[in-house]
Amino acid sequence: EISLGLVGSEMCIRDRPMSSGKSTTLWGMMTNILENPVSCIEYSSPVEAKMPLPQTDYRNNLIDLQQKLATAKKQDLNYVFLNEIPTGDVSRCAHDLANSNVHVISTLHLGRIWELPHKLYDYHGRSYKDILSCYNLVVNQKLFIKQCTHCSCK
């Protein structure tokens, strides 16, 4: 069970490689958040699971996604669930949204948590620290896995 008490403008990032359970954890967080009277929207490509909130498939059109994130600032939203932050431009839009007092909950494709500053540097150059300071929560799946000794790899 995941319990969140998010205050102010912030970004929550879930990091791991592809097909490692990031979206499943994101859905768990969404389910918990939706128990409260909040205004939310999800932007995904594709929408992988139907949730009781407005969901938009941006069909891998990153320009469309950036426009949707810019428009979200004007929609009086509490939360935006973004299935992935695939580029620096999308990251800048998500950061702008978080600075507008909207909680942004998203995922990144990373192998290890310590790759986050490097990924943000790739996206934002020297201003990556400004972006990093906006993140209030980073969840790394390795903290939640207990691997079977028969399945572990060397």
Side-chain angles (χ1 to χ4, degrees):
E1 182 178 325
I2 297 172
S3 194
L4 295 175
L6 302 176
V7 179
S9 62
E10 49 199 42
M11 295 175 70
C12 171
I13 298 294
R14 175 93 169 86
D15 82 311
R16 291 301 296 135
M18 291 177 67
S19 300
S20 63
K22 294 180 305 298
S23 294
T24 302
T25 301
L26 192 66
W27 295 327
M29 294 169 79
M30 288 166 39
T31 300
N32 184 274
I33 289 168
L34 292 173
E35 292 175 357
N36 301 300
V38 294
S39 178
C40 306
I41 192 166
E42 177 194 4
Y43 299 112
S44 295
S45 183
V47 172
E48 297 177 28
K50 295 293 181 191
M51 298 292 290
L53 73 152
Q55 295 176 288
T56 301
D57 184 347
Y58 62 89
R59 303 185 193 291
N60 280 335
N61 182 335
L62 298 180
I63 301 297
D64 185 44
L65 175 59
Q66 291 170 50
Q67 292 170 345
K68 289 180 186 317
L69 291 174
T71 303
K73 288 180 6 180
K74 302 172 186 168
Q75 295 177 343
D76 196 29
L77 296 167
N78 301 106
Y79 294 91
V80 168
F81 299 98
L82 180 57
N83 191 41
E84 177 189 0
I85 298 178
T87 66
D89 289 335
V90 171
S91 181
R92 279 184 281 285
C93 291
H95 180 252
D96 187 42
L97 193 57
N99 281 337
S100 300
N101 210 26
V102 176
H103 304 290
V104 179
I105 300 177
S106 188
T107 68
L108 283 172
H109 293 273
L110 301 172
R112 298 281 188 247
I113 190 67
W114 55 79
E115 294 173 9
L116 178 60
H118 302 286
K119 178 75 134 190
L120 293 177
Y121 185 84
D122 289 345
Y123 282 175
H124 303 282
R126 298 181 74 109
S127 66
Y128 82 97
K129 291 179 184 177
D130 296 333
I131 306 298
L132 189 58
S133 68
C134 190
Y135 290 19
N136 287 351
L137 175 67
V138 176
V139 180
N140 185 330
Q141 186 175 351
K142 287 289 185 185
L143 298 174
F144 299 113
I145 292 177
K146 182 173 181 181
Q147 195 167 23
C148 169
T149 56
H150 299 288
C151 302
S152 62
C153 305
K154 294 184 180 184

